[in-house]
Amino acid sequence: KVYFADNLIKNHMLKNLEWKEKDFDKKFKYKLNNLKGKIVLPFSISNYDKIYNLIKNIYDKKLVKNFDKLTVKIHPNTPESLKQMELSEKIGKLFKNKKYKNQPRILLAIGSTSVIIENIILGNKVIQIYEDEISECISHKFWPDVKVKKLFNNVIIYSKK
């Protein structure tokens, strides 16, 4: 039997992965990583310039309200910490290093990470920059309770229905 943290996950497993109700034990309390107001950098980035240009494109086109209020969170175990700090500084200059007390309910995640679904469950909007749509993105087909909107190539925004 499986414990589950949220009905969104349980419903996904029942509807799309052919699990049965009897396979589940009970819901348990799990502290989700609420990363609202953050740009979360992954363990490794293959093309820093491309990532920066996609972030700049979102900012310049004003596609997301309060986007300039986000702050960068460098991956704690990355071997690329110098490159990630440089990217963080570039983004800070783009956003003019503004500091805000209230963090917007937005998360920007780069690549594939569990914080995407965790923050959707928490009710945050999640923007994802990805390289491979098939292997990295959340599909509405498998997650019917998640709204999926493609902003442009390599950028998707998710929210809870």
Side-chain angles (χ1 to χ4, degrees), residues 40-51:
V40 180
L41 300 182
F43 181 77
S44 180
I45 296 174
S46 61
N47 188 335
Y48 281 85
D49 289 333
K50 181 178 181 179
I51 297 300

Side-chain angles (χ1 to χ4, degrees), residues 140-152:
H140 174 71
K141 189 174 190 175
F142 288 106
W143 295 92
D145 295 335
V146 175
K147 277 200 294 190
V148 179
K149 179 182 174 189
K150 190 170 189 172
L151 293 179
F152 48 88

Side-chain angles (χ1 to χ4, degrees), residues 4-48:
F4 60 98
D6 190 86
N7 286 331
L8 182 72
I9 294 168
K10 179 183 174 185
N11 291 339
H12 164 69
M13 294 171 80
L14 288 168
K15 290 178 186 174
N16 302 300
L17 303 177
E18 298 182 11
W19 287 57
K20 306 288 184 239
E21 190 70 44
K22 65 181 172 82
D23 297 329
F24 295 92
D25 194 347
K26 62 182 177 181
K27 191 172 177 179
F28 72 96
K29 287 200 176 215
Y30 174 75
K31 186 167 177 9
L32 299 173
N33 293 308
N34 191 345
L35 295 171
K36 71 178 183 180
K38 301 286 184 221
I39 297 173
V40 180
L41 300 182
F43 181 77
S44 180
I45 296 174
S46 61
N47 188 335
Y48 281 85

Side-chain angles (χ1 to χ4, degrees), residues 34-97:
N34 191 345
L35 295 171
K36 71 178 183 180
K38 301 286 184 221
I39 297 173
V40 180
L41 300 182
F43 181 77
S44 180
I45 296 174
S46 61
N47 188 335
Y48 281 85
D49 289 333
K50 181 178 181 179
I51 297 300
Y52 175 76
N53 289 330
L54 288 167
I55 292 170
K56 186 176 182 331
N57 200 4
I58 296 168
Y59 177 73
D60 289 345
K61 291 183 178 183
K62 299 182 181 358
L63 295 173
V64 179
K65 186 179 175 185
N66 296 320
F67 190 66
D68 63 338
K69 292 183 178 183
L70 302 181
T71 58
V72 177
K73 181 170 176 46
I74 294 171
H75 194 284
N77 297 320
T78 184
E80 303 171 358
S81 55
L82 289 176
K83 287 183 180 179
Q84 289 200 6
M85 285 190 277
E86 288 173 9
L87 178 61
S88 176
E89 288 174 15
K90 261 177 102 170
I91 294 168
K93 287 178 186 172
L94 176 67
F95 293 172
K96 298 174 183 55
N97 287 318

